[in-house]
């Protein structure tokens, strides 16, 4: 595949592959020539089904089994969502989040070059993911985390045996220090070109699931803007290849307490500027200064979508509805997308007959302790089992 | 499919489908005529690829996306395991465990009949699984748990909104109260015929992954014996269908603190009798009186396999190796299987050139709080980032 160039979608400049940032300050992505591309005719499953559009060959180890996640039609959520909803269940990846797609490509690229070190700057999911993929192929891994994340997340990352380093000081400055750094470490951060290349496969899987039609819209949470960029890149490539006629609208959702992209969208701005962040249960997406925020904004404008923000109460409610009506246990950041679709339907932006795909980005299993524990319906003695069951059935 | 009869593999008696226990006391399973069966020629993915061997039609909801889990060749574990190891990653099911295969069939059967109530008796994973599948199709669900499980597990189950009832008294008696009960509730317990039918799909996926060859052995943890029975049933059906010539050896592994099946195997007994159980970190498989233990023992004898038990220290070590060398985060019960394979290799039972498949039954993500938290390699200030990275690379 032609991925020898990294380009800036904002100013149009091109660089040799490997560079992460444009001279204009915007993030680069890897150029992909999709003009001759068609749906694969073989029966390869998972993200490597789309290997012809990726900058690396299919790897061994954990990366071989990434993607191919279920696209579940969730009729029981339609009334709540206000549309015909499907869920792309990214919780089903090896480390429980969408991050595995990008980590698989980043780690495979380092292994292909014969290099030894991979790294990332993360609050949790990405650190776990990069460390797990590195462990499975024997690469060394550096994970830098802010010093204020909970110790429980340390242990989830540390099980994969990376060098786990806590960092005092600005997270934004730490991120910048890793971008195009002279160090002999490939930092596969949230919007690095290799990660964006891997993440785009989720959109190809969604589109193939609907082919020859296409969904009306795709909704996802937005943090750094890297994943939104990846989905947009896939939609552009699919349009270039002639796989879709109309591009689905891209809806991005943020937590109201930390919503720089939504703020820029509401204000009609062309670029995203940092905000003062408050606390939110959707901590995975609480990025006050998103490095690909402006590109995410461009994605929304190009696809005729929107950016909305939702309150923590709305997020909690959506999380509860996802588990109790669809059997899906997701983290708060993922439930944000459902709360956003509900808001967009309430405002008339999304219509009841439209087909919307919600990307469930990460599992809620890692956050067991954050859930309510006062949840037992009742307590019985084993001797009263049968009458207890009859009471419950008759009382329901 | 012909699943109108439930049969006893021990004494050979047959009953109408729906009955769970034989008059001889042993569990029944659903008769399957596999004599004309061949590998599917279509591209259906997941467990419903084998729908022709199942007693229900493919369902909607969460059940539609069960199975089709990766079979990962884990070369970096070969030295530790003492053989050529692959991992069948059942953590990738919707609720993070192998239980989803059986729950999908049980819940689909209730929905097909137009009934409303499904139930289970569980320490955790099975309760979550049955409740999640019921939620996704709008069935009512009863989950009975022993009163001494941690409150954190209550919350993981309760998110799917079942009637969650704690029970004082003997867990064994509770289980027996649900078997062939007159109540209008389908109890999809660990060795119910519907569950066993669903669980067998994991073995068909493993066999198809190796076709036209077959692995030399399959290793899994054993608790009630229901899952071991399901794998054995699949191997028998595959042999009947002519899909394999030699049946893989079935290795079952228990925690030493609670190992009734291993005790019976070591003693040369034909049936399993209850043991006094001690504590183990592999609590998911700590069943002192396994209802399908005798059938599991027959499976091992029929396939020329073995049952072994391993210590908690060996389990902890295997769990750490799975994450740090394969990127797999599993619960202690799953790591037990790797510790068992290592022991079997050390004793010469498994040879270095043999191909062994380990079934990783459940994710470790639900148990985050059980892991060590004193795991940070070091702490730095963001201003010293570059020199800190160089120090780590040079010191490695």
């Amino acid at each position: 595949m032609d991925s020898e160039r990294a380009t800036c979608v904002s100013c149009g400049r091109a660089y040799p592959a490997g560079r992460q940032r444009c001279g204009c300050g915007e993030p680069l992505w890897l150029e992909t020539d999709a003009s001759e591309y068609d749906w694969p005719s073989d029966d390869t499953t998972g993200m490597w089904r789309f290997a012809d559009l990726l900058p690396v060959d299919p790897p061994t180890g954990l990366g071989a089994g990434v993607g191919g996640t279920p696209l579940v039609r969730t009729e029981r959520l339609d009334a709540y969502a206000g549309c015909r909803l499907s869920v792309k269940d990214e919780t089903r990846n090896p480390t429980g989040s969408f991050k595995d797609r990008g980590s698989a490509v980043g780690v495979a690229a380092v292994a292909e070059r014969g290099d030894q070190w991979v790294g990332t700057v993360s609050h949790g999911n990405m650190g776990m993911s990069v460390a797990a993929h590195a462990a499975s192929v024997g690469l060394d891994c550096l994970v830098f985390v802010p010093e204020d994340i909970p110790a429980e997340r340390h242990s989830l990352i540390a099980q994969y045996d990376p060098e786990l380093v806590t960092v005092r000081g600005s997270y934004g400055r730490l991120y910048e220090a890793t971008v195009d750094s002279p160090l002999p470490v490939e930092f596969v951060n949230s919007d690095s070109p290799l990660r964006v290349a891997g993440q785009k496969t989720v959109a190809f899987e969604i589109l193939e699931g609907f082919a020859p039609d296409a969904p009306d819209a795709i909704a996802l949470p937005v943090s750094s803007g890297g994943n939104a960029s990846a989905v947009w890149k896939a939609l552009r490539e699919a349009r270039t290849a002639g796989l879709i006629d109309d591009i689905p609208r891209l809806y991005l959702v943020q937590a109201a307490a930390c919503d720089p992209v939504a703020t820029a969208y509401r204000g009609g701005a062309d670029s995203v500027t940092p905000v003062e962040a408050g606390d939110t249960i959707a901590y995975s997406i609480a990025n006050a200064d998103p490095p690909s925020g402006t590109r995410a904004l461009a994605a929304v404008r190009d696809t005729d979508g929107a950016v909305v923000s939702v309150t923590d109460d709305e997020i909690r409610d959506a999380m509860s509805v996802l588990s109790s009506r669809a059997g899906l246990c997701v983290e708060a950041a993922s439930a944000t997308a459902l709360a956003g679709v509900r808001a967009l339907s309430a405002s008339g932006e999304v219509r009841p007959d439209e087909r919307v795909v919600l990307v469930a980005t990460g599992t809620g299993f890692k956050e067991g302790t954050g859930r309510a524990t006062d949840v037992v319906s009742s307590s019985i003695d084993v001797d009263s089992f049968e009458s207890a069951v009859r009471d419950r059935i008759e009382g329901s």
Side-chain angles (χ1 to χ4, degrees), chain A:
Chain A
M1 195 220 75
D2 170 19
S3 58
E4 285 149 31
R5 299 194 321 157
T7 54
C8 176
V9 74
S10 176
C11 75
R13 264 179 281 187
Y15 302 85
R19 182 157 168 160
Q20 303 196 0
R21 279 284 180 281
C22 183
C24 79
E26 281 296 293
L28 302 172
W29 61 25
L30 289 166
E31 185 86 353
T32 308
D33 179 5
S35 56
E36 303 292 315
Y37 189 75
D38 200 358
W39 294 119
S41 55
D42 67 8
D43 59 358
T44 304
T45 56
M47 68 177 280
W48 303 103
R49 181 164 176 75
F50 305 103
D52 287 349
L53 295 171
L54 296 176
V56 292
D57 291 328
T60 58
L62 199 67
V66 176
T69 58
L71 177 64
V72 184
R73 175 74 178 97
T74 49
E75 286 179 45
R76 276 172 51 76
L77 299 180
D78 286 0
Y80 187 84
C83 58
R84 294 158 66 197
L85 197 76
S86 296
V87 174
K88 181 65 173 170
D89 188 3
E90 289 290 283
T91 73
R92 307 280 287 278
N93 281 303
T95 68
S97 89
F98 73 108
K99 293 288 187 186
D100 286 318
R101 295 178 188 268
S103 304
V105 168
V107 166
V110 173
E112 274 189 8
R113 291 199 300 258
D115 289 340
Q116 188 57 31
W117 283 88
V118 65
T120 195
V121 173
S122 170
H123 279 90
N125 282 331
M126 193 161 53
M128 289 183 63
S129 179
V130 173
H133 286 266
S136 82
V137 294
L139 293 188
D140 288 319
C141 182
L142 279 165
V143 178
F144 292 91
V145 297
E147 64 174 349
D148 59 354
I149 71 168
E152 190 178 315
R153 255 182 275 161
H154 291 166
S155 61
L156 282 167
I157 299 168
Q159 68 178 315
Y160 304 113
D161 207 23
E163 285 268 332
L164 177 59
V165 183
T166 61
V167 182
R168 292 176 298 277
S170 154
Y171 183 77
R173 277 186 53 212
L174 173 62
Y175 194 97
E176 285 307 315
T178 66
V179 171
D180 290 324
S181 97
L183 297 162
V185 178
E186 180 73 47
F187 282 97
V188 192
N189 290 336
S190 61
D191 69 348
S192 85
L194 287 168
R195 176 167 297 284
V196 168
Q199 305 293 160
K200 77 182 177 185
T201 55
V202 71
F204 276 100
E205 290 180 12
I206 291 169
L207 293 179
E208 195 180 24
F210 278 85
D213 291 339
D216 297 292
I218 297 173
L220 62 156
V222 60
S223 176
S224 73
N227 198 37
S229 301
V231 170
W232 184 35
K233 190 171 197 300
L235 297 180
R236 290 161 58 103
E237 291 173 14
R239 188 171 51 184
T240 298
L243 300 175
I244 51 174
D245 296 323
D246 297 316
I247 207 164
R249 309 193 300 275
L250 198 52
Y251 291 119
L252 305 180
V253 190
Q254 302 207 282
C258 184
D259 65 348
V261 187
T263 299
Y265 177 80
R266 281 192 301 264
D270 288 330
S271 64
V272 173
T273 48
V275 296
E276 281 290 321
D279 281 339
T280 168
I281 55 166
Y283 59 79
S284 300
I285 55 168
N287 191 328
D289 183 11
S292 284
T294 296
R295 192 167 58 180
L297 199 59
V300 162
R301 296 251 163 79
D302 177 55
T303 62
D304 204 19
V307 193
V308 291
S309 49
V310 292
T311 68
D312 274 19
D313 279 349
E314 291 170 317
I315 296 168
R316 269 188 211 95
D317 193 55
M319 188 157 45
S320 167
V321 166
L322 279 159
S323 54
S324 63
R325 295 191 208 166
L328 296 166
C329 174
V330 303
E331 64 173 5
S334 304
T336 301
L338 177 57
V341 171
R342 182 171 165 85
L344 289 161
S345 299
S347 70
E349 167 77 24
V350 168
R351 295 190 310 272
D353 63 335
E354 291 196 301
R355 299 192 296 183
V356 177
V357 178
L358 182 155
V359 181
T361 45
T363 182
F365 292 146
K366 299 173 193 169
E367 307 185 333
T369 48
R371 294 177 187 277
T373 53
D374 181 22
V375 291
V376 174
S377 307
S378 54
S379 187
I380 63 166
D381 190 275
V382 68
D383 294 322
S384 63
F385 170 76
E386 192 171 321
S387 61
V389 172
R390 292 201 189 280
D391 288 349
R392 276 158 189 77
I393 290 174
E394 283 154 21
S396 76

